[in-house]
Structures are given as C-alpha cells and as structure tokens.
Amino acid sequence: MIISSVDEMVELGARIGTTLQAGDVILLSGELGVGKTALTRGIGRALGFTDVTSPTFVIAKIYNGALPLVHVDAYRLLGQELATFDDLDLETRIPRSVTVIEWGESFIDRIAPDHATIRISHGASENERIVELTGISL
Ligand SMILES: Nc1ncnc2c1ncn2[C@@H]1O[C@H](COP(=O)(O)OP(=O)(O)O)[C@@H](O)[C@H]1O
Ligand SMILES: [Mg+2]
C-alpha cells in the first residue's frame, strides 16, 4: 500500500497494533529513515503506550502493560557477535509480548521463525512510502 505522510504511517501502525496478540513478532525491514520507528509508534499507541521513541542507543526498549511491547533496534549490532543481543532474554519475553524488530534480518529466523514482515521503501515523493505486509491481514 501507499502511505503519504508520517501521520498516516503512525495510523497504519495503530491499525496493525489492534490486530496483534502476545507472541507476535514483526520484522520491520527498510533503510535508515524510511519510517520503521514511526510505524512502531503507532503499534505502541494501539497497545496504550504514548511515548515510543527509537531505541537505537539501547538496542531495545520494553514497554510494560497489559500486553507489553518489546521494540528492538539492532542497528548497532550489525556485523557483531550476538552476545549482547542474547542478554535481552527475548526467548522469555516474546511469548508474553508483542515484539517489533528493526535491523533483525540476520537473526529473526533463529529467534522467531513464524514472524510477520513489514517492508517499507521510499515512494515517488519525499513523504511517500510503499508498505508491504507479509503475515499480517488488516
Ligand atoms: N510517509 C512517511 N512515513 C514515515 N516517516 C516519514 C514519512 N514521510 C516522512 N517521514 C519522516 O521520515 C523519518 C522516519 O524516521 P524513522 O521512523 O525514525 O525511520 P527508521 O526507524 O526507519 O530509521 C521521520 O523523520 C519522518 O518524519
Ligand atoms: Mg528506527
């Protein structure tokens, strides 16, 4: 689908968020600045979290609520050993949370083989984005 503004991206995230359940894992794919965190902000909003911001400098942020949100940004781990990553203890968190992962292509199949994927790319104009959903139906 075509998204025309950052507000629309957040709105799409919120629509997706209302369909999610504990144990769901979403891989967000797309280049830096394309809108992965904006989409995650919408998912967080649907789960009752108003303050989702990029976890780039901490690898992951955990929002605790009725249905917790785990937001991972593995950008800093690209090309590194996964020791730091394993410290996040995702195996125990995933089953009781919604987990959204940016920059996780290299390890997602190991931790969540059944994940959904949202691929975002740039469209024809500055604020336009193309979003492809795999494993998510709205
Ligand atoms: N349609 C759009 N969807 C999402 N972000 C957009 C859109 N148009 C412009 N932007 C801008 O692009 C940037 C996306 O940043 P961010 O969500 O942090 O990207 P990422 O997490 O993929 O690196 C923001 O500055 C946002 O305002
Ligand atoms: Mg981001």
Side-chain angles (χ1 to χ4, degrees):
M1 69 189 75
I2 304 273
I3 292 294
S4 310
S5 68
V6 62
D7 287 349
E8 244 185 70
M9 186 66 88
V10 174
E11 207 43 56
L12 174 63
R15 272 175 66 206
I16 292 168
T18 61
T19 73
L20 299 175
Q21 306 172 17
D24 286 346
V25 178
I26 300 176
L27 175 70
L28 286 186
S29 177
E31 66 185 54
L32 199 64
V34 81
K36 301 181 295 299
T37 296
L39 187 89
T40 308
R41 188 172 308 128
I43 291 174
R45 194 170 291 175
L47 303 183
F49 309 115
T50 53
D51 56 345
V52 172
T53 54
S54 179
T56 298
F57 299 104
V58 290
I59 302 167
K61 281 190 184 168
I62 293 155
Y63 301 86
N64 274 309
L67 180 53
L69 172 67
V70 178
H71 182 198
V72 177
D73 183 333
Y75 188 71
R76 286 200 309 136
L77 298 180
L78 288 181
Q80 292 184 35
E81 289 303 315
L82 293 175
T84 321
F85 180 77
D86 287 338
D87 289 344
L88 296 174
D89 198 19
L90 289 182
E91 273 81 358
T92 26
R93 290 191 191 281
I94 282 173
R96 48 188 160 89
S97 311
V98 163
T99 304
V100 177
I101 305 182
E102 304 184 34
W103 301 105
E105 281 81 355
S106 67
F107 57 81
I108 188 93
D109 285 328
R110 179 166 68 84
I111 63 158
D114 288 335
H115 63 274
T117 300
I118 301 176
R119 192 160 280 111
I120 310 175
S121 53
H122 286 275
S125 61
E126 191 186 339
N127 295 330
E128 192 173 293
R129 302 291 189 270
I130 299 154
V131 181
E132 297 167 74
L133 308 180
T134 308
I136 294 172
S137 37
L138 291 180

mmCIF file of all heavy atoms in Angstrom, residues 48-81:
data_model
loop_
_atom_site.group_PDB
_atom_site.id
_atom_site.type_symbol
_atom_site.label_atom_id
_atom_site.label_comp_id
_atom_site.label_asym_id
_atom_site.label_seq_id
_atom_site.Cartn_x
_atom_site.Cartn_y
_atom_site.Cartn_z
ATOM 1 N N GLY A 48 -1.462 1.127 24.020
ATOM 2 C CA GLY A 48 -1.598 2.019 25.170
ATOM 3 C C GLY A 48 -0.327 2.750 25.574
ATOM 4 O O GLY A 48 -0.275 3.345 26.642
ATOM 5 N N PHE A 49 0.697 2.732 24.708
ATOM 6 C CA PHE A 49 1.955 3.413 25.030
ATOM 7 C C PHE A 49 2.078 4.666 24.159
ATOM 8 O O PHE A 49 2.113 4.572 22.934
ATOM 9 C CB PHE A 49 3.146 2.480 24.808
ATOM 10 C CG PHE A 49 2.987 1.155 25.480
ATOM 11 C CD1 PHE A 49 2.894 -0.012 24.746
ATOM 12 C CD2 PHE A 49 2.885 1.071 26.867
ATOM 13 C CE1 PHE A 49 2.726 -1.248 25.372
ATOM 14 C CE2 PHE A 49 2.720 -0.151 27.499
ATOM 15 C CZ PHE A 49 2.638 -1.311 26.747
ATOM 16 N N THR A 50 2.145 5.821 24.787
ATOM 17 C CA THR A 50 2.112 7.074 24.029
ATOM 18 C C THR A 50 3.506 7.609 23.715
ATOM 19 O O THR A 50 3.648 8.615 23.032
ATOM 20 C CB THR A 50 1.360 8.156 24.829
ATOM 21 O OG1 THR A 50 1.946 8.231 26.127
ATOM 22 C CG2 THR A 50 -0.107 7.820 24.938
ATOM 23 N N ASP A 51 4.530 6.941 24.212
ATOM 24 C CA ASP A 51 5.869 7.538 24.211
ATOM 25 C C ASP A 51 6.919 6.690 23.501
ATOM 26 O O ASP A 51 8.073 6.685 23.896
ATOM 27 C CB ASP A 51 6.305 7.760 25.669
ATOM 28 C CG ASP A 51 6.254 6.452 26.467
ATOM 29 O OD1 ASP A 51 5.617 5.483 25.970
ATOM 30 O OD2 ASP A 51 6.863 6.382 27.541
ATOM 31 N N VAL A 52 6.543 5.975 22.454
ATOM 32 C CA VAL A 52 7.521 5.115 21.776
ATOM 33 C C VAL A 52 8.511 5.967 20.977
ATOM 34 O O VAL A 52 8.122 6.732 20.101
ATOM 35 C CB VAL A 52 6.812 4.102 20.844
ATOM 36 C CG1 VAL A 52 7.819 3.351 19.989
ATOM 37 C CG2 VAL A 52 5.972 3.134 21.663
ATOM 38 N N THR A 53 9.782 5.833 21.316
ATOM 39 C CA THR A 53 10.849 6.530 20.589
ATOM 40 C C THR A 53 11.923 5.517 20.207
ATOM 41 O O THR A 53 11.928 4.395 20.704
ATOM 42 C CB THR A 53 11.484 7.629 21.457
ATOM 43 O OG1 THR A 53 11.905 7.042 22.690
ATOM 44 C CG2 THR A 53 10.499 8.750 21.727
ATOM 45 N N SER A 54 12.815 5.923 19.338
ATOM 46 C CA SER A 54 13.807 4.988 18.818
ATOM 47 C C SER A 54 14.714 4.445 19.908
ATOM 48 O O SER A 54 15.275 5.192 20.695
ATOM 49 C CB SER A 54 14.660 5.675 17.754
ATOM 50 O OG SER A 54 15.620 4.742 17.305
ATOM 51 N N PRO A 55 14.887 3.108 19.954
ATOM 52 C CA PRO A 55 15.778 2.528 20.958
ATOM 53 C C PRO A 55 17.216 2.406 20.478
ATOM 54 O O PRO A 55 18.001 1.692 21.086
ATOM 55 C CB PRO A 55 15.163 1.135 21.172
ATOM 56 C CG PRO A 55 14.567 0.790 19.868
ATOM 57 C CD PRO A 55 14.185 2.080 19.180
ATOM 58 N N THR A 56 17.601 3.103 19.421
ATOM 59 C CA THR A 56 18.900 2.879 18.779
ATOM 60 C C THR A 56 20.071 2.785 19.755
ATOM 61 O O THR A 56 20.939 1.948 19.608
ATOM 62 C CB THR A 56 19.192 3.985 17.743
ATOM 63 O OG1 THR A 56 18.175 3.913 16.752
ATOM 64 C CG2 THR A 56 20.528 3.789 17.076
ATOM 65 N N PHE A 57 20.079 3.629 20.773
ATOM 66 C CA PHE A 57 21.248 3.657 21.654
ATOM 67 C C PHE A 57 21.179 2.653 22.790
ATOM 68 O O PHE A 57 22.120 2.522 23.553
ATOM 69 C CB PHE A 57 21.470 5.077 22.183
ATOM 70 C CG PHE A 57 21.730 6.029 21.055
ATOM 71 C CD1 PHE A 57 20.747 6.905 20.639
ATOM 72 C CD2 PHE A 57 22.930 5.987 20.360
ATOM 73 C CE1 PHE A 57 20.962 7.746 19.563
ATOM 74 C CE2 PHE A 57 23.156 6.817 19.276
ATOM 75 C CZ PHE A 57 22.156 7.704 18.873
ATOM 76 N N VAL A 58 20.066 1.944 22.909
ATOM 77 C CA VAL A 58 19.966 0.934 23.968
ATOM 78 C C VAL A 58 19.605 -0.453 23.433
ATOM 79 O O VAL A 58 19.418 -1.367 24.219
ATOM 80 C CB VAL A 58 18.923 1.339 25.041
ATOM 81 C CG1 VAL A 58 19.434 2.523 25.847
ATOM 82 C CG2 VAL A 58 17.578 1.636 24.431
ATOM 83 N N ILE A 59 19.523 -0.572 22.103
ATOM 84 C CA ILE A 59 19.181 -1.836 21.437
ATOM 85 C C ILE A 59 17.708 -2.209 21.602
ATOM 86 O O ILE A 59 17.054 -2.565 20.644
ATOM 87 C CB ILE A 59 20.074 -3.016 21.876
ATOM 88 C CG1 ILE A 59 21.544 -2.667 21.585
ATOM 89 C CG2 ILE A 59 19.699 -4.291 21.104
ATOM 90 C CD1 ILE A 59 22.519 -3.604 22.238
ATOM 91 N N ALA A 60 17.179 -2.127 22.836
ATOM 92 C CA ALA A 60 15.768 -2.497 22.994
ATOM 93 C C ALA A 60 15.111 -1.664 24.071
ATOM 94 O O ALA A 60 15.755 -1.269 25.048
ATOM 95 C CB ALA A 60 15.650 -3.971 23.354
ATOM 96 N N LYS A 61 13.828 -1.394 23.864
ATOM 97 C CA LYS A 61 13.026 -0.763 24.905
ATOM 98 C C LYS A 61 11.827 -1.659 25.173
ATOM 99 O O LYS A 61 11.221 -2.189 24.242
ATOM 100 C CB LYS A 61 12.522 0.611 24.464
ATOM 101 C CG LYS A 61 13.581 1.700 24.582
ATOM 102 C CD LYS A 61 12.955 3.060 24.372
ATOM 103 C CE LYS A 61 14.038 4.139 24.385
ATOM 104 N NZ LYS A 61 13.500 5.423 23.903
ATOM 105 N N ILE A 62 11.512 -1.789 26.428
ATOM 106 C CA ILE A 62 10.390 -2.633 26.829
ATOM 107 C C ILE A 62 9.337 -1.745 27.464
ATOM 108 O O ILE A 62 9.633 -0.971 28.387
ATOM 109 C CB ILE A 62 10.876 -3.721 27.800
ATOM 110 C CG1 ILE A 62 11.803 -4.679 27.035
ATOM 111 C CG2 ILE A 62 9.683 -4.477 28.398
ATOM 112 C CD1 ILE A 62 12.784 -5.403 27.892
ATOM 113 N N TYR A 63 8.127 -1.809 26.922
ATOM 114 C CA TYR A 63 7.001 -1.026 27.441
ATOM 115 C C TYR A 63 6.087 -2.010 28.147
ATOM 116 O O TYR A 63 5.551 -2.933 27.519
ATOM 117 C CB TYR A 63 6.270 -0.327 26.294
ATOM 118 C CG TYR A 63 7.178 0.607 25.524
ATOM 119 C CD1 TYR A 63 7.965 0.134 24.477
ATOM 120 C CD2 TYR A 63 7.271 1.959 25.851
ATOM 121 C CE1 TYR A 63 8.815 0.973 23.771
ATOM 122 C CE2 TYR A 63 8.110 2.817 25.148
ATOM 123 C CZ TYR A 63 8.875 2.315 24.114
ATOM 124 O OH TYR A 63 9.719 3.150 23.419
ATOM 125 N N ASN A 64 5.914 -1.838 29.439
ATOM 126 C CA ASN A 64 5.132 -2.791 30.213
ATOM 127 C C ASN A 64 3.694 -2.359 30.355
ATOM 128 O O ASN A 64 3.410 -1.220 30.707
ATOM 129 C CB ASN A 64 5.764 -3.005 31.595
ATOM 130 C CG ASN A 64 6.836 -4.077 31.526
ATOM 131 O OD1 ASN A 64 6.590 -5.174 31.022
ATOM 132 N ND2 ASN A 64 8.027 -3.754 31.991
ATOM 133 N N GLY A 65 2.792 -3.275 30.049
ATOM 134 C CA GLY A 65 1.360 -3.015 30.167
ATOM 135 C C GLY A 65 0.624 -4.324 30.080
ATOM 136 O O GLY A 65 1.237 -5.389 30.215
ATOM 137 N N ALA A 66 -0.684 -4.253 29.840
ATOM 138 C CA ALA A 66 -1.481 -5.474 29.734
ATOM 139 C C ALA A 66 -0.866 -6.401 28.686
ATOM 140 O O ALA A 66 -0.686 -7.596 28.914
ATOM 141 C CB ALA A 66 -2.915 -5.118 29.346
ATOM 142 N N LEU A 67 -0.536 -5.823 27.535
ATOM 143 C CA LEU A 67 0.217 -6.548 26.506
ATOM 144 C C LEU A 67 1.506 -5.756 26.283
ATOM 145 O O LEU A 67 1.489 -4.695 25.680
ATOM 146 C CB LEU A 67 -0.625 -6.628 25.218
ATOM 147 C CG LEU A 67 -0.009 -7.341 24.023
ATOM 148 C CD1 LEU A 67 0.467 -8.743 24.376
ATOM 149 C CD2 LEU A 67 -1.029 -7.416 22.888
ATOM 150 N N PRO A 68 2.630 -6.254 26.806
ATOM 151 C CA PRO A 68 3.885 -5.497 26.696
ATOM 152 C C PRO A 68 4.371 -5.388 25.245
ATOM 153 O O PRO A 68 4.071 -6.250 24.420
ATOM 154 C CB PRO A 68 4.882 -6.329 27.518
ATOM 155 C CG PRO A 68 4.053 -7.206 28.395
ATOM 156 C CD PRO A 68 2.797 -7.484 27.616
ATOM 157 N N LEU A 69 5.085 -4.308 24.956
ATOM 158 C CA LEU A 69 5.725 -4.120 23.658
ATOM 159 C C LEU A 69 7.237 -4.155 23.846
ATOM 160 O O LEU A 69 7.781 -3.430 24.680
ATOM 161 C CB LEU A 69 5.321 -2.759 23.061
ATOM 162 C CG LEU A 69 6.069 -2.330 21.793
ATOM 163 C CD1 LEU A 69 5.745 -3.238 20.604
ATOM 164 C CD2 LEU A 69 5.738 -0.868 21.445
ATOM 165 N N VAL A 70 7.894 -5.030 23.081
ATOM 166 C CA VAL A 70 9.360 -5.066 23.053
ATOM 167 C C VAL A 70 9.778 -4.499 21.701
ATOM 168 O O VAL A 70 9.405 -5.037 20.654
ATOM 169 C CB VAL A 70 9.887 -6.507 23.221
ATOM 170 C CG1 VAL A 70 11.407 -6.527 23.129
ATOM 171 C CG2 VAL A 70 9.426 -7.105 24.547
ATOM 172 N N HIS A 71 10.496 -3.386 21.719
ATOM 173 C CA HIS A 71 10.926 -2.722 20.483
ATOM 174 C C HIS A 71 12.446 -2.818 20.396
ATOM 175 O O HIS A 71 13.166 -2.202 21.175
ATOM 176 C CB HIS A 71 10.464 -1.256 20.523
ATOM 177 C CG HIS A 71 10.813 -0.493 19.263
ATOM 178 N ND1 HIS A 71 10.816 0.888 19.234
ATOM 179 C CD2 HIS A 71 11.156 -0.907 18.030
ATOM 180 C CE1 HIS A 71 11.152 1.278 18.016
ATOM 181 N NE2 HIS A 71 11.370 0.213 17.278
ATOM 182 N N VAL A 72 12.904 -3.624 19.452
ATOM 183 C CA VAL A 72 14.343 -3.858 19.285
ATOM 184 C C VAL A 72 14.837 -3.086 18.065
ATOM 185 O O VAL A 72 14.187 -3.088 17.016
ATOM 186 C CB VAL A 72 14.622 -5.374 19.075
ATOM 187 C CG1 VAL A 72 16.101 -5.630 18.837
ATOM 188 C CG2 VAL A 72 14.114 -6.199 20.254
ATOM 189 N N ASP A 73 15.962 -2.405 18.198
ATOM 190 C CA ASP A 73 16.654 -1.808 17.064
ATOM 191 C C ASP A 73 18.082 -2.320 17.095
ATOM 192 O O ASP A 73 18.902 -1.853 17.880
ATOM 193 C CB ASP A 73 16.618 -0.280 17.169
ATOM 194 C CG ASP A 73 17.275 0.378 15.957
ATOM 195 O OD1 ASP A 73 18.160 -0.256 15.334
ATOM 196 O OD2 ASP A 73 16.930 1.526 15.653
ATOM 197 N N ALA A 74 18.362 -3.308 16.248
ATOM 198 C CA ALA A 74 19.650 -3.997 16.303
ATOM 199 C C ALA A 74 20.704 -3.348 15.409
ATOM 200 O O ALA A 74 21.737 -3.953 15.133
ATOM 201 C CB ALA A 74 19.455 -5.472 15.926
ATOM 202 N N TYR A 75 20.471 -2.104 14.991
ATOM 203 C CA TYR A 75 21.395 -1.426 14.076
ATOM 204 C C TYR A 75 22.835 -1.458 14.588
ATOM 205 O O TYR A 75 23.774 -1.707 13.855
ATOM 206 C CB TYR A 75 20.944 0.020 13.868
ATOM 207 C CG TYR A 75 21.715 0.750 12.792
ATOM 208 C CD1 TYR A 75 21.542 0.434 11.453
ATOM 209 C CD2 TYR A 75 22.612 1.768 13.116
ATOM 210 C CE1 TYR A 75 22.242 1.103 10.460
ATOM 211 C CE2 TYR A 75 23.315 2.444 12.127
ATOM 212 C CZ TYR A 75 23.127 2.104 10.805
ATOM 213 O OH TYR A 75 23.807 2.764 9.826
ATOM 214 N N ARG A 76 22.996 -1.195 15.890
ATOM 215 C CA ARG A 76 24.338 -1.161 16.469
ATOM 216 C C ARG A 76 25.000 -2.526 16.503
ATOM 217 O O ARG A 76 26.201 -2.627 16.728
ATOM 218 C CB ARG A 76 24.290 -0.600 17.891
ATOM 219 C CG ARG A 76 24.074 0.891 17.944
ATOM 220 C CD ARG A 76 24.512 1.448 19.286
ATOM 221 N NE ARG A 76 23.925 0.716 20.398
ATOM 222 C CZ ARG A 76 24.585 0.329 21.480
ATOM 223 N NH1 ARG A 76 25.861 0.593 21.597
ATOM 224 N NH2 ARG A 76 23.963 -0.318 22.436
ATOM 225 N N LEU A 77 24.193 -3.563 16.353
ATOM 226 C CA LEU A 77 24.741 -4.924 16.427
ATOM 227 C C LEU A 77 25.099 -5.482 15.062
ATOM 228 O O LEU A 77 25.634 -6.572 14.964
ATOM 229 C CB LEU A 77 23.728 -5.873 17.077
ATOM 230 C CG LEU A 77 23.329 -5.564 18.515
ATOM 231 C CD1 LEU A 77 22.334 -6.604 18.995
ATOM 232 C CD2 LEU A 77 24.551 -5.545 19.409
ATOM 233 N N LEU A 78 24.799 -4.714 13.992
ATOM 234 C CA LEU A 78 25.042 -5.237 12.655
ATOM 235 C C LEU A 78 26.488 -5.680 12.520
ATOM 236 O O LEU A 78 27.403 -4.932 12.825
ATOM 237 C CB LEU A 78 24.730 -4.181 11.586
ATOM 238 C CG LEU A 78 23.260 -3.852 11.346
ATOM 239 C CD1 LEU A 78 23.144 -2.804 10.252
ATOM 240 C CD2 LEU A 78 22.473 -5.096 10.992
ATOM 241 N N GLY A 79 26.666 -6.900 12.095
ATOM 242 C CA GLY A 79 28.005 -7.421 11.862
ATOM 243 C C GLY A 79 28.772 -7.786 13.123
ATOM 244 O O GLY A 79 29.927 -8.153 13.060
ATOM 245 N N GLN A 80 28.123 -7.715 14.262
ATOM 246 C CA GLN A 80 28.804 -8.070 15.515
ATOM 247 C C GLN A 80 28.336 -9.427 16.009
ATOM 248 O O GLN A 80 27.352 -9.971 15.552
ATOM 249 C CB GLN A 80 28.491 -7.051 16.609
ATOM 250 C CG GLN A 80 29.094 -5.690 16.363
ATOM 251 C CD GLN A 80 28.810 -4.771 17.533
ATOM 252 O OE1 GLN A 80 28.776 -5.214 18.670
ATOM 253 N NE2 GLN A 80 28.592 -3.510 17.248
ATOM 254 N N GLU A 81 29.052 -9.916 16.994
ATOM 255 C CA GLU A 81 28.601 -11.134 17.655
ATOM 256 C C GLU A 81 27.305 -10.845 18.381
ATOM 257 O O GLU A 81 26.996 -9.698 18.718
ATOM 258 C CB GLU A 81 29.671 -11.606 18.653
ATOM 259 C CG GLU A 81 30.907 -12.165 17.980
ATOM 260 C CD GLU A 81 30.587 -13.320 17.036
ATOM 261 O OE1 GLU A 81 29.797 -14.197 17.435
ATOM 262 O OE2 GLU A 81 31.095 -13.328 15.910
#
